[in-house]
Amino acid sequence: VGKRLLFFQEVGSTMDEALRRAERGTEEGTVVVAETQTASRGRQGRAWVSRTGNLYLSVVLYPSLQTLPYLNSLCGVAVVRAIANISGLKPRIKWPNDILLEGKKVAGVLVESAIAGEQVHHSIIGIGINVALEADEIDEIAGGAISLNHASAGDIPRDELLREILQQLDALYIQLNHGDTPVEEWEELLDTLGQRVKVTWQGEEYVGFADGIDAQGSLLLREDSGTMRTLAAGDATSLR
Ligand code: BTN
């Protein structure tokens, strides 16, 4: 990951820049980084604030169908490790993949894949990290956001953070291809477990107790009716 690194001053979305290259069969591990994005997206069709000063990247991967479910947890672990190594801060994760500091979102992960029959044509993983948000940007972001410079004593060097993320992604992806999944480490970082939560997914709401995750990282929700539900994706809000 990161042998081929493309920098842009401004793009619509690094996801689309990476996608265009994936469709032409670009080298696996190609990385697209942008200073600003004019049409960036988050999970479930949300927008992602993309002004200058933060880190926005997408990576082209060609995973197998077996490894595909692990890309989400792989990214979460890579981002947490990178932030911890560069800043000494200890981020946590809100299922499925909001990276939190002081309970507020510092980074987000988006995985988009194209599957044809039994084969994954490509996956694009997108990572956005709030490195230096301004006060008005923080106000704009629903649900509360925080940036690294806010949470840490000193300024965080973006180039070092990028290098560290790519290194962690690379190491975790090689391990995954050898059958070593990141789920255990990811589970230890999850704040959601043990909480009463509401999960929204495709217009449905599920309320219950976040009992655990399965081997692939899906959330095991014990609904109030007693039904166990396995959710591979969604948005969790903790209810207290
Ligand atoms: C989320 O938490 O909803 C995921 C946010 C992902 C944002 C990143 S920024 C780089 C890449 N390009 C995009 O348009 N989105 C992702």
Side-chain angles (χ1 to χ4, degrees), residues 108-120:
V109 169
L110 179 68
V111 181
E112 294 179 344
S113 303
I115 301 168
E118 294 287 284
Q119 287 223 309
V120 182

Side-chain angles (χ1 to χ4, degrees), residues 13-15 37 40-43 48 57-58 105 108-109 127-128:
S13 163
T14 56
M15 299 304 282
Q37 303 181 101
S40 49
R41 54 182 178 266
R43 287 185 297 105
W48 183 261
L57 67 135
S58 292
K105 189 155 169 173
V109 169
I127 297 172

Side-chain angles (χ1 to χ4, degrees), residues 217-231:
S218 292
L219 184 69
L220 304 173
L221 188 75
R222 181 152 41 85
E223 288 185 90
D224 295 344
S225 61
T227 316
M228 284 301 297
R229 193 172 288 277
T230 307
L231 294 158

Side-chain angles (χ1 to χ4, degrees), residues 120-182:
V120 182
H121 186 267
H122 61 254
S123 289
I124 313 291
I125 60 178
I127 297 172
I129 303 187
N130 301 330
V131 179
L133 291 179
E134 281 163 43
D136 64 321
E137 281 178 282
I138 293 185
D139 295 341
E140 243 178 76
I141 300 171
I146 192 167
S147 61
L148 288 177
N149 281 357
H150 215 87
S152 78
D155 275 6
I156 300 297
R158 275 191 298 169
D159 50 343
E160 278 175 40
L161 182 61
L162 173 63
R163 199 171 329 126
E164 187 67 23
I165 286 172
L166 299 181
Q167 214 169 317
Q168 296 295 343
L169 286 174
D170 191 66
L172 288 161
Y173 191 58
I174 290 170
Q175 282 171 5
L176 180 60
N177 286 328
H178 283 91
D180 225 352
T181 86

Side-chain angles (χ1 to χ4, degrees), residues 15 27 46 52 57-58 60 81 92 97 116 138-139 154 182 187 220 228:
M15 299 304 282
E27 194 182 325
R46 280 185 301 255
T52 182
L57 67 135
S58 292
V60 177
R81 282 189 190 172
R92 301 283 299 166
N97 231 344
I138 293 185
D139 295 341
E187 181 171 10
L220 304 173
M228 284 301 297

